Coordinates of all heavy atoms in Angstrom, one line a residue:
G477 N 92.1 111.9 78.1 CA 92.2 111.7 76.6 C 91.6 110.4 76.2 O 92.1 109.7 75.3
R478 N 90.4 110.1 76.7 CA 89.8 108.8 76.4 C 88.8 108.9 75.2 O 88.2 108.0 74.7 CB 89.0 108.2 77.5 CG 89.9 108.0 78.8 CD 89.0 107.3 79.8 NE 87.9 108.1 80.2 CZ 86.8 107.6 80.8 NH1 86.8 106.3 81.1 NH2 85.8 108.4 81.1
H479 N 88.6 110.2 74.7 CA 87.5 110.3 73.7 C 87.8 111.6 72.9 O 88.7 112.4 73.2 CB 86.2 110.4 74.4 CG 86.2 111.4 75.6 ND1 86.6 111.1 76.8 CD2 85.8 112.7 75.6 CE1 86.6 112.1 77.6 NE2 86.1 113.1 76.9
R480 N 87.0 111.8 71.9 CA 87.1 113.0 71.0 C 86.8 114.2 71.8 O 86.0 114.2 72.7 CB 86.2 112.9 69.8 CG 86.6 111.8 68.9 CD 85.6 111.7 67.8 NE 84.3 111.1 68.3 CZ 83.2 111.0 67.5 NH1 83.2 111.5 66.3 NH2 82.1 110.5 68.0
S481 N 87.3 115.4 71.4 CA 87.1 116.6 72.1 C 87.0 117.7 71.2 O 87.6 117.7 70.1 CB 88.2 116.9 73.1 OG 89.4 117.1 72.5
E482 N 86.1 118.7 71.5 CA 86.1 120.0 70.8 C 86.4 121.1 71.8 O 85.7 121.3 72.7 CB 84.6 120.2 70.3 CG 84.3 119.3 69.2 CD 83.0 119.8 68.4 OE1 82.5 120.8 68.8 OE2 82.6 119.1 67.5
K483 N 87.6 121.6 71.6 CA 88.1 122.6 72.6 C 88.3 124.0 71.9 O 88.3 124.1 70.7 CB 89.5 122.2 73.0 CG 89.6 120.8 73.7 CD 91.0 120.5 74.1 CE 91.1 119.1 74.8 NZ 92.4 118.8 75.2
K484 N 88.2 125.0 72.8 CA 88.5 126.3 72.3 C 89.2 127.1 73.5 O 89.2 126.6 74.6 CB 87.3 127.1 71.9 CG 86.2 127.3 73.0 CD 85.0 128.0 72.5 CE 84.0 128.2 73.6 NZ 82.8 128.9 73.1
E485 N 89.7 128.2 73.3 CA 90.3 129.0 74.3 C 89.6 130.3 74.5 O 89.1 130.9 73.6 CB 91.8 129.3 74.0 CG 92.7 128.1 74.0 CD 94.2 128.5 74.0 OE1 94.4 129.7 73.8 OE2 95.1 127.7 74.1
N486 N 89.4 130.6 75.8 CA 88.7 131.9 76.1 C 89.7 133.0 76.1 O 90.9 132.8 75.8 CB 87.9 131.8 77.5 CG 88.9 131.5 78.6 OD1 90.1 131.6 78.5 ND2 88.3 131.1 79.8
S487 N 89.2 134.2 76.5 CA 90.1 135.4 76.5 C 91.3 135.3 77.4 O 92.2 136.0 77.2 CB 89.2 136.6 76.8 OG 88.7 136.5 78.1
N488 N 91.2 134.4 78.4 CA 92.3 134.2 79.4 C 93.3 133.1 78.9 O 94.2 132.8 79.7 CB 91.8 133.9 80.8 CG 90.9 135.1 81.3 OD1 91.2 136.2 81.1 ND2 89.8 134.7 82.0
G489 N 93.0 132.6 77.8 CA 93.9 131.5 77.3 C 93.6 130.1 77.9 O 94.4 129.2 77.7
R490 N 92.5 130.0 78.7 CA 92.1 128.7 79.3 C 91.3 127.9 78.3 O 90.4 128.4 77.6 CB 91.3 129.0 80.5 CG 92.1 129.7 81.6 CD 91.2 130.1 82.8 NE 90.5 129.0 83.4 CZ 89.7 129.1 84.4 NH1 89.4 130.2 84.9 NH2 89.1 128.0 84.9

Side-chain angles (χ1 to χ4, degrees):
R478 299 186 303 160
H479 49 278
R480 292 176 291 174
S481 63
E482 289 195 1
K483 300 180 182 179
K484 65 181 181 181
E485 288 192 356
N486 61 13
S487 59
N488 297 323
R490 295 172 59 179

